[in-house]
Amino acid sequence: MSTTAELLKGAAELFPDEVVTSAHVRHLDLPFGAGKFALITLDNGFDHTKPTTFGPGSLANLNAAIDQVEQEAAEGKIVGVGVTGKPFIFAVGADLKGVEILKKHEDALVIGKSGHDVFKRLAALAVPSFAYYNGAAMGGGVEVGLHCSYRTVSKALPAFSLPEVFLGLVPGWGGCTLLPNLIGAEKAVSVIIENSLNQNRQLKGKQVFELGIADALFEGADFLEQSLIWTANVLKGDVTVERPEIDRGEAWDQAVAKGRFIADSKVHGAAPAAYRALEIIEAAKNGDLQAGFDAEDTALADLIMGGELRSGIYAFNLVQKRAKRPAGAPDKNLARPVTKVGVVGAGLMASQLALLFLRRLEVPVVLTDIDQERVDKGVGYVHAEIDKLLAKSRINQDKANRLKGLVSGVLDKAEGFSDADFIIEAVFEEIGVKQQVFAEVEAVAPAHAILATNTSSLSVSEMASKLKHPERVVGFHFFNPVAILPLLEIVRGEQTDDASLATAFGVARKLKKTAVLTKDAPAFVVNRILTRFMGEIQNVIDEGTPVAVAEKAIEPLGLPMSPLVLLELVGPAIGLHVSETLNRAFPDRFTVSENLAAVVKAGKRGFYVYSAENGFKPELDPEVAALLKQGDVVLTEEQTRDRVLDAVAQEIGLMLEEGVVAEAQDIDLCLITGAGWPFHLGGITPYLDREGVSERVNGKKFLAQGVASVPA
């Protein structure tokens, strides 16, 4: 039987590039004569911008540190053991770069087993163990603390989570087993399932304490000092930690059922991680920790060798890494400074843009429109949103006053834009209107000013074609709601120059948006794919398949909402307009649905109605049902899904051939950040590859083996 040290040595050989975390042991005398104490500090030797992680080498170092303190405890040389982190970071869990390169189930099993074998030694020491959550703690970082006898947490701790389900794993080093046994199943399900599936929601230090995960809460400034004083009082018996009794009856079963309901509503059974985690939580009801750890090992290994985790890590890398280095962006040194922004239009979209530029750039922002009432309404919207931020204490009174002072509205473009460096239009989506607006702006704007369009589907090159200086026009397509969706499609027109493009990317960075460079092709990326996707569903409905069947067919993708609910959010009129634009460009693939046109003509906001009697679930609106003219071709759910996915795979293949974006990775980045496409799918191309659709339609996969899948 291999020892933990031998297993870790073997695992470390598989992962030579690990950033190894040290586990320094130092000894100190606790206050009040409580005795000698061993403190283990987890530190990878870098500052807080490179958080501490656990790969096999790091686990081996912690294992060796526990060897030392275990002996000291057995010999009576110490009264307790503490674990803490470097400044601002406790530890953020397993090193995912190591997980990515695993090729065999047995190697994955070693990772799970080794973590357990090391961490559970903290619970088995002859003296009490303490975790001091001084900074960010996630995944395995949280779990190493759960194995300790006691925990304290800093009020300044910014992020604490078990994010594994979000990525396609389970908390596999004790989280699924220990957390419900510590704080009860309901709270554990909230942390492990609900928070993860809500875009990896983080807890702050105070919440960690209130949930009962930590036994004490201290200020960040002298956190370790206060934690050690508290430790001394616990060891002397002056402080008694009382934990509530865990309800192992019906409440536990209800919590697991609630977790399944949350998982169903978020991923519709399409992603296994949440369900595997719930099975372990369910089994943990009997308090058998070792059985729970064994189940975690198996689940971890199964999921590591599955497609969902690889897609989750791929998506994580896209958002964390590729997003920061946009493919094809020009040299950032070419970017010009932006000291004033102009916004043409003062409607809702224009007002949202004005607010975003104001908050992020903190430069003067001026709105224009065709009458004073609209201008006043736009400026009023921005003021009201600033007041909301003030009411929520997100900004102070001085900042609110300063921001309000920076935003203004005028009717005369010459007055508003004569000294603006960046002018964006958000007017009616009609090429003639936009060309006229740009002609008016070019006549009064400085020669260096960027002219940006927020068009969702029109040609940027055509918009710029009648200007004296078309080289300074750039597409700058935001997604609604502007404050929430991170994507910004930056569109290079036929004559856009590098300086204008570099300035646009520089502004995007300051706006904290995920910028993706796209060619000036109809509807760019997200709207083109979604329109083909929705158009094929609409075709299936128009040909005769019931609405409910067509909608249900897409559930296995685990999308955030069904296609027709999405259409309602976008607005049927906008959906129709984009489909008409794409139909003109590609009439052989994009149709214009007569049924959708009838719904728009009737002024309906969507296909569904919602009633309190039905729990506000979507029901087909009888008035819409009466409008629908359907054929007699009825497809099954599977036939519908195949047809829709085939259409999407074809469209993505054509977009890559046309060079709309640099690579398939950019398609996925766009769908994840601009359309809320699920992380567990990795966007869309890994899913199409995994399901065999890419090869069926295009004769090849979009991604090389190992990019979002298990390496060959």
Side-chain angles (χ1 to χ4, degrees):
M1 198 59 188
S2 298
T3 65
T4 302
E6 286 167 342
L7 285 173
L8 288 169
K9 189 168 182 243
E13 286 166 8
L14 294 172
F15 184 21
D17 299 327
E18 177 188 354
V19 176
V20 178
T21 297
S22 298
H24 306 286
V25 180
R26 65 186 170 109
H27 296 89
L28 40 95
D29 292 314
L30 288 172
F32 318 126
K36 194 163 281 294
F37 189 76
L39 182 66
I40 300 170
T41 303
L42 304 169
D43 190 347
N44 62 3
F46 293 90
D47 68 11
H48 65 279
T49 58
K50 197 158 205 168
T52 304
T53 52
F54 292 119
S58 307
L59 286 173
N61 284 341
L62 179 57
N63 197 47
I66 297 173
D67 281 343
Q68 179 186 335
V69 298
E70 185 179 61
Q71 188 175 347
E72 291 170 352
E75 292 171 0
K77 291 179 179 174
I78 53 173
V79 293
V81 174
V83 182
T84 192
K86 67 184 184 182
F88 310 110
I89 303 286
F90 182 77
V92 298
D95 191 325
L96 291 177
K97 291 196 294 299
V99 172
E100 271 179 275
I101 57 179
L102 292 174
K103 299 178 185 179
K104 297 180 190 161
H105 192 276
E106 55 264 36
D107 293 337
L109 204 56
V110 166
I111 293 296
K113 191 171 175 345
S114 301
H116 277 128
D117 287 351
V118 175
F119 289 0
K120 71 187 184 187
R121 295 181 69 196
L122 289 164
L125 291 170
V127 293
S129 52
F130 297 78
Y132 306 132
Y133 291 126
N134 63 303
M138 294 169 203
V142 168
E143 289 168 305
V144 71
L146 293 177
H147 284 270
C148 293
S149 320
Y150 303 97
R151 287 154 295 280
T152 67
V153 66
S154 165
K155 275 187 189 173
L157 181 145
F160 183 104
S161 64
L162 288 169
E164 288 84 353
V165 166
F166 176 66
L167 290 169
L169 280 174
V170 298
W173 285 341
C176 290
T177 304
L178 293 173
L179 194 63
N181 278 293
L182 176 69
I183 61 172
E186 187 181 359
K187 290 177 182 174
V189 164
S190 174
V191 173
I192 294 168
I193 307 295
E194 191 169 13
N195 288 358
S196 269
L197 293 179
N198 277 316
Q199 294 301 310
N200 192 17
R201 185 191 291 151
Q202 300 293 315
L203 299 168
K204 300 271 195 275
K206 187 164 178 276
Q207 294 167 297
V208 174
F209 171 66
E210 286 168 352
L211 281 166
I213 300 171
D215 304 304
L217 176 72
F218 298 115
E219 294 291 345
D222 57 352
F223 170 70
L224 188 56
E225 185 186 342
Q226 292 301 320
S227 292
L228 291 169
I229 291 169
W230 181 83
T231 298
N233 284 320
V234 169
L235 291 171
K236 287 181 70 187
D238 296 339
V239 166
T240 304
V241 172
E242 290 181 13
R243 297 190 181 123
E245 197 175 325
I246 301 302
D247 187 335
R248 297 183 186 278
E250 200 181 323
W252 194 291
D253 302 331
Q254 285 174 345
V256 172
K258 181 187 171 188
R260 287 214 169 90
F261 174 77
I262 292 165
D264 286 344
S265 67
K266 292 287 184 181
V267 300
H268 310 285
Y275 302 97
R276 291 296 291 267
L278 286 164
E279 284 169 18
I280 301 166
I281 294 169
E282 187 172 32
K285 181 179 175 180
N286 64 12
D288 184 341
L289 300 186
Q290 190 53 52
F293 297 163
D294 292 343
E296 288 175 356
D297 289 343
T298 304
L300 206 58
D302 290 349
L303 292 166
I304 285 172
M305 300 316 291
E308 186 209 355
L309 169 69
R310 306 299 172 137
S311 295
I313 294 175
Y314 165 78
F316 183 79
N317 287 336
L318 289 180
V319 172
Q320 294 296 318
K321 294 174 185 171
R322 192 176 183 91
K324 292 177 173 64
R325 291 187 290 276
D331 181 350
K332 57 175 184 252
N333 294 321
L334 295 171
R336 294 192 282 261
V338 172
T339 59
K340 183 179 180 182
V341 173
V343 181
V344 186
L348 182 58
M349 189 67 180
S351 303
Q352 286 184 70
L353 295 181
L355 179 69
L356 179 70
F357 279 95
L358 185 66
R359 286 196 64 201
R360 296 282 184 243
L361 271 58
E362 295 192 23
V363 298
V365 175
V366 59
L367 296 100
T368 67
D369 213 315
I370 53 174
D371 60 55
Q372 192 64 44
E373 187 183 343
R374 291 180 204 219
V375 168
D376 291 345
K377 191 176 177 186
V379 174
Y381 168 88
V382 176
H383 281 197
E385 291 300 309
I386 292 167
D387 286 336
K388 285 181 195 172
L389 292 169
L390 179 63
K392 291 176 186 168
S393 301
R394 300 269 298 278
I395 56 173
N396 61 26
Q397 188 66 59
D398 284 350
K399 181 88 172 266
N401 293 344
R402 190 165 77 253
L403 290 177
K404 283 184 181 179
L406 285 170
V407 65
S408 59
V410 294
L411 286 175
D412 182 6
K413 290 185 181 69
E415 180 190 340
F417 298 157
S418 63
D419 56 349
D421 308 300
F422 192 98
I423 301 159
I424 185 165
E425 69 73 25
V427 299
F428 185 65
E429 192 76 348
E430 205 278 311
I431 194 75
V433 174
K434 290 185 186 281
Q435 284 177 330
Q436 183 190 340
V437 160
F438 270 159
E440 290 169 6
V441 170
E442 187 181 48
V444 298
H448 69 273
I450 305 300
L451 308 185
T453 169
N454 184 45
T455 182
S456 59
S457 61
L458 300 174
S459 168
V460 173
S461 303
E462 192 180 345
M463 222 176 284
S465 61
K466 297 183 178 177
L467 298 179
K468 295 188 188 75
H469 294 286
E471 71 277 1
R472 56 176 169 157
V473 177
V474 64
F476 215 62
H477 179 217
F478 290 89
F479 288 78
N480 225 341
V482 170
I484 294 169
L485 288 175
L487 181 64
L488 182 52
E489 290 177 341
I490 296 186
V491 186
R492 180 169 210 155
E494 284 168 17
Q495 298 193 58
T496 308
D497 63 21
D498 281 354
S500 301
L501 204 59
T503 306
F505 273 99
V507 170
R509 257 192 309 278
K510 287 184 179 164
L511 294 175
K512 297 185 179 171
K513 291 293 179 187
T514 296
V516 174
L517 178 63
T518 97
K519 186 180 168 186
D520 185 21
F524 319 126
V525 179
V526 173
N527 284 344
R528 179 163 165 185
I529 293 169
L530 288 186
T531 304
R532 186 76 199 274
F533 174 76
M534 308 273 281
E536 207 55 48
I537 288 166
Q538 192 74 58
N539 289 343
V540 167
I541 292 169
D542 294 355
E543 289 165 19
T545 299
V547 169
V549 173
E551 287 268 85
K552 202 161 188 314
I554 305 305
E555 277 189 3
L557 273 75
L559 298 177
M561 61 188 75
S562 76
L564 293 182
V565 173
L566 175 63
L567 181 68
E568 202 169 296
L569 185 72
V570 170
I574 293 173
L576 181 65
H577 173 74
V578 177
S579 68
E580 287 169 342
T581 302
L582 282 158
N583 172 255
R584 285 194 294 274
F586 310 114
D588 56 325
R589 301 193 310 278
F590 287 86
T591 53
V592 178
S593 165
E594 288 183 16
N595 281 326
L596 180 57
V599 167
V600 172
K601 189 178 178 187
K604 305 301 289 184
R605 290 182 56 195
F607 277 60
Y608 293 128
V609 287
Y610 303 84
S611 64
E613 303 89 76
N614 192 34
F616 296 102
K617 287 179 185 160
E619 287 180 285
L620 188 62
D621 183 340
E623 291 178 21
V624 170
L627 292 171
L628 294 182
K629 291 178 181 170
Q630 291 182 282
D632 54 9
V633 178
V634 179
L635 301 185
T636 64
E637 286 175 27
E638 191 177 354
Q639 288 169 325
T640 300
R641 186 162 57 251
D642 284 350
R643 189 158 142 194
V644 171
L645 292 176
D646 284 2
V648 171
Q650 182 195 30
E651 202 59 40
I652 293 171
L654 291 166
M655 288 167 72
L656 292 171
E657 277 178 28
E658 291 168 30
V660 175
V661 287
E663 290 181 289
Q665 282 89 328
D666 295 309
I667 300 267
D668 293 319
L669 183 56
C670 285
L671 285 175
I672 291 165
T673 56
W677 215 269
F679 236 70
H680 66 262
L681 292 186
I684 181 65
T685 67
Y687 180 81
L688 295 172
D689 285 354
R690 205 161 60 234
E691 296 295 310
V693 182
S694 315
E695 288 179 277
R696 182 169 76 226
V697 174
N698 300 322
K700 61 180 181 181
K701 290 185 173 182
F702 288 113
L703 300 168
Q705 187 71 30
V707 173
S709 52
V710 177

